[in-house]
């Protein structure tokens, strides 16, 4: 199918003259011309050429209540009239922190940042400062932001990364320091035996274990039974800090995040995305014992735009809505998502395409694979990622926008009619998908 792209092409040419690569985040690079949005509302967006899309990207996850949610519009508009930024305290940040402490199991104290990478960086510094140790266990395929200390082995070349029994840390970018990974212990995701071995060898040196409890940056991978529970037991036994990176899962999969959904409470957790309806807010939350190392000034944490009043107004509006209306928000949204997942499986079967669909109704992944599950990065690499890229393009051409690697986010605004329209596009996109590869 052919979309009009003349205006997008002109804007891309213009952007390339003054913006490196024509985009301001590598995540926005696309084959050909990137998406230039004109406006968005609910679960739909329109590009500058007038093409309409049912949106399952939702700003990479933040728009749980849909684009331009009325609650967010009202809160942001009201705060802008009162001032943009103060470099001082204000009531909204206290209200947001109180809501997080009511909603999130691990939250006794909170600090705010602007983006997820900052919150994760703060968590790691805090864990090291609190324990007086340096080493951190990180899992292959987990993404914890683009900053140097953790940008290792997110989606590495398996040959460069070594075998699962002896993983090598692969930097994600040129320009990272040669020894930046010296204090990282890199392990396979969902492998508790590997974690036990690491603690047996280095237990007194390990400051923290950091993990995406629901791994959404490499597929949509749930923890195998006992994995998170085992991490909790091992970190407690060895005096290490357990950190959950809930930048994606927080407030999306449940009001209290993956830790509520899965029943395991970490010492620290990083949040972002879904907590502010698209505004730039992240949070570090954790136990009073660990967070007190910030309270007493042992560990430094600062930022001009931390607790930005306009962003915090959005956060309060969204968090209050999710907290007070949880029963009318989460069950219906998750039910529709699960219904869509089931229909996608059926569409794949009808088209003779091996389409695996895993995750939750709030966020899930489609894979092209004959495997019956995906448990870690190596399983993810074994799927047909080139075929998924083709499926993404076919859906995009038919007015359905998903994250290119196959991730789908749901919002409260994805109606039954939009799901039906989506499935029509999927049914049209699947036939011949694998023949295209062979051709």
């Amino acid at each position: 199918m052919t979309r009009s792209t003349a205006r997008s092409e002109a804007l891309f040419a213009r952007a390339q003259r003054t913006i490196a690569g024509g985009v301001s985040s590598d995540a926005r690079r696309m084959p050909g011309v990137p998406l230039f949005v004109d406006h968005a509302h609910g679960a739909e967006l329109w590009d500058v050429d007038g093409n309409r899309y049912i949106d399952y990207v939702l700003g990479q996850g933040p728009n749980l209540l849909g684009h331009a949610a009325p609650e967010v519009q009202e809160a942001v508009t009201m705060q802008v009239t009162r001032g943009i930024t103060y470099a001082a305290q204000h009531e909204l940040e206290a209200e947001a922190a109180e809501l997080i402490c009511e909603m999130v199991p691990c939250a006794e104290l909170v600090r705010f940042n602007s983006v997820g990478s900052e919150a994760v960086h703060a968590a790691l510094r805090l864990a090291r400062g609190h324990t007086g140790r340096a080493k951190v266990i990180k899992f292959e395929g987990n993404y914890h932001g683009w900053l140097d200390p953790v940008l290792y082995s997110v989606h590495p070349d398996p040959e460069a990364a070594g075998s699962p029994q002896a993983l090598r840390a692969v930097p994600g970018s040129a320009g990272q320091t040669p020894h930046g990974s010296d204090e990282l212990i890199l392990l396979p995701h969902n492998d508790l035996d590997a974690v036990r071995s690491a603690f047996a060898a280095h237990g007194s040196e390990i400051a923290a274990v950091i993990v995406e409890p629901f791994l959404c940056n490499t597929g949509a991978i749930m923890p195998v039974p006992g994995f998170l529970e085992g991490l909790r037991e091992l970190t407690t036994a060895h005096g290490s800090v357990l950190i959950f990176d809930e930048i994606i899962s927080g407030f999306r999969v449940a009001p209290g995040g993956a830790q509520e959904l899965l029943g395991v409470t970490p010492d620290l957790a990083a949040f972002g995305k879904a907590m502010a309806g698209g505004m730039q807010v992240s949070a570090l939350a954790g136990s009073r014992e660990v967070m007190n190392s910030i309270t007493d000034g042992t560990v430094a944490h600062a930022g001009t735009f931390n607790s930005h009043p306009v962003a915090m107004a959005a956060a309060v509006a969204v968090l209050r809505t999710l907290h007070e209306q949880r029963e009318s928000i989460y069950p219906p949204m998750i039910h529709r998502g699960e219904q869509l997942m089931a229909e996608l499986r059926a569409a794949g079967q009808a088209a003779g395409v091996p389409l695996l669909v895993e995750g939750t109704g709030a966020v899930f992944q489609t894979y092209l694979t004959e495997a019956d599950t995906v448990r870690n990065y190596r399983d993810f690499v074994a799927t047909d990622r080139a075929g998924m890229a083709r499926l993404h393009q076919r859906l995009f051409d038919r007015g359905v926008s998903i994250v290119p690697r196959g991730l789908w986010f749901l919002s409260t605004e994805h109606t039954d009619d939009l799901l039906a329209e989506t499935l029509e596009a999927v049914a049209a996109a699947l036939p011949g998908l694998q023949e295209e590869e062979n051709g």
Side-chain angles (χ1 to χ4, degrees):
M1 298 182 67
T2 302
R3 297 174 294 112
S4 62
T5 60
R7 178 65 175 149
S8 295
E9 291 174 9
L11 280 175
F12 189 40
R14 174 184 173 185
Q16 287 175 301
R17 291 194 289 270
T18 52
I19 299 173
V23 296
S24 290
S25 170
D26 287 346
R28 299 173 198 161
R29 294 182 189 266
M30 294 177 65
V33 180
L35 176 64
F36 281 84
V37 176
D38 179 77
H39 66 285
H41 182 76
E44 300 168 274
L45 58 80
W46 289 260
D47 68 18
V48 294
D49 291 286
N51 300 302
R52 166 190 170 266
Y53 304 89
I54 303 172
D55 186 25
Y56 294 94
V57 179
L58 298 175
Q60 294 289 342
N63 294 303
L64 181 68
L65 300 177
H67 291 284
E71 300 92 337
V72 176
Q73 290 187 56
E74 181 181 354
V76 166
T77 301
M78 182 177 297
Q79 179 55 43
V80 165
T81 67
R82 299 169 61 86
I84 306 299
T85 192
Y86 305 137
Q89 303 310 112
H90 52 92
E91 186 173 358
L92 287 168
E93 66 178 317
E95 188 172 356
E98 289 164 357
L99 285 163
I100 291 172
C101 289
E102 289 178 22
M103 297 170 72
V104 175
C106 80
E108 294 179 335
L109 291 173
V110 180
R111 274 287 182 109
F112 293 105
N113 287 104
S114 295
V115 296
S117 294
E118 293 178 302
V120 169
H121 190 72
L124 292 172
R125 175 184 288 181
L126 177 56
R128 286 174 165 138
H130 179 74
T131 62
R133 304 172 183 176
K135 293 189 182 296
V136 170
I137 291 177
K138 177 196 181 295
F139 298 98
E140 187 180 50
N142 283 226
Y143 175 71
H144 303 299
W146 72 285
L147 300 182
D148 284 4
V150 288
L151 191 60
Y152 288 91
S153 295
V154 178
H155 292 159
D157 179 339
E159 291 188 8
S163 71
Q165 293 74 37
L167 293 177
R168 294 188 291 270
V170 179
S173 173
Q176 291 179 255
T177 56
H179 301 289
S181 64
D182 286 356
E183 302 299 345
L184 287 182
I185 300 173
L186 190 68
L187 301 177
H189 190 76
N190 265 335
D191 187 340
L192 189 58
D193 286 339
V195 182
R196 290 193 183 101
S197 296
F199 270 103
H202 305 285
S204 63
E205 305 171 80
I206 296 172
V209 175
I210 186 169
V211 65
E212 291 184 65
F214 177 20
L215 176 51
C216 294
N217 282 293
T218 295
I221 301 174
M222 298 292 280
V224 298
F227 178 63
L228 295 182
E229 292 84 352
L231 296 183
R232 178 67 283 176
E233 181 180 340
L234 286 165
T235 51
T236 299
H238 290 271
S240 303
V241 175
L242 179 58
I243 304 170
F244 279 3
D245 182 341
E246 294 225 47
I247 300 299
I248 292 179
S249 60
F251 307 108
R252 167 162 286 282
V253 299
Q259 57 192 270
E260 176 188 330
L261 179 71
L262 301 171
V264 178
T265 302
D267 300 296
L268 297 174
F271 297 93
K273 294 190 185 292
M275 68 180 290
M279 292 296 290
Q280 62 277 34
V281 180
S282 64
L284 171 62
S287 70
R288 187 174 300 275
E289 178 187 358
V290 178
M291 294 289 289
N292 272 341
S293 290
I294 291 178
T295 301
D296 65 18
T298 302
V299 174
H301 177 262
T304 298
F305 296 111
N306 291 0
S307 299
H308 189 281
V310 180
M312 296 308 294
V316 168
V318 170
L319 292 171
R320 185 187 297 120
T321 299
L322 297 181
H323 188 35
E324 295 178 355
Q325 302 178 31
R326 60 179 62 205
E327 292 304 320
S328 62
I329 287 176
Y330 288 95
M333 180 185 68
I334 291 170
H335 173 74
R336 285 195 298 273
E338 291 174 343
Q339 181 181 18
L340 177 59
M341 293 169 71
E343 294 288 353
L344 288 170
R345 295 186 189 102
Q349 186 173 17
V353 174
L355 190 67
L356 176 66
V357 186
E358 292 192 316
T360 75
V363 52
F364 62 84
Q365 172 83 20
T366 46
Y367 312 88
L368 292 175
T369 179
E370 298 285 355
D372 58 6
T373 192
V374 172
R375 296 158 298 183
N376 53 41
Y377 175 66
R378 299 306 171 98
D379 287 352
F380 176 75
V381 169
T383 67
D384 182 1
R385 292 185 289 168
M388 183 51 60
R390 292 194 301 274
L391 178 57
H392 163 263
Q393 187 61 54
R394 285 185 171 201
L395 290 174
F396 192 73
D397 289 341
R398 289 166 172 80
V400 174
S401 180
I402 67 173
V403 178
R405 66 179 180 271
L407 196 65
W408 301 59
F409 292 101
L410 266 288
S411 77
T412 58
E413 304 305 296
H414 282 93
T415 64
D416 290 341
D417 287 345
L418 291 178
L419 297 192
E421 187 177 344
T422 298
L423 290 167
E424 289 179 7
V426 170
L430 285 174
L433 185 67
Q434 293 176 299
E435 285 81 356
E436 182 179 331
E437 176 187 16
N438 297 331

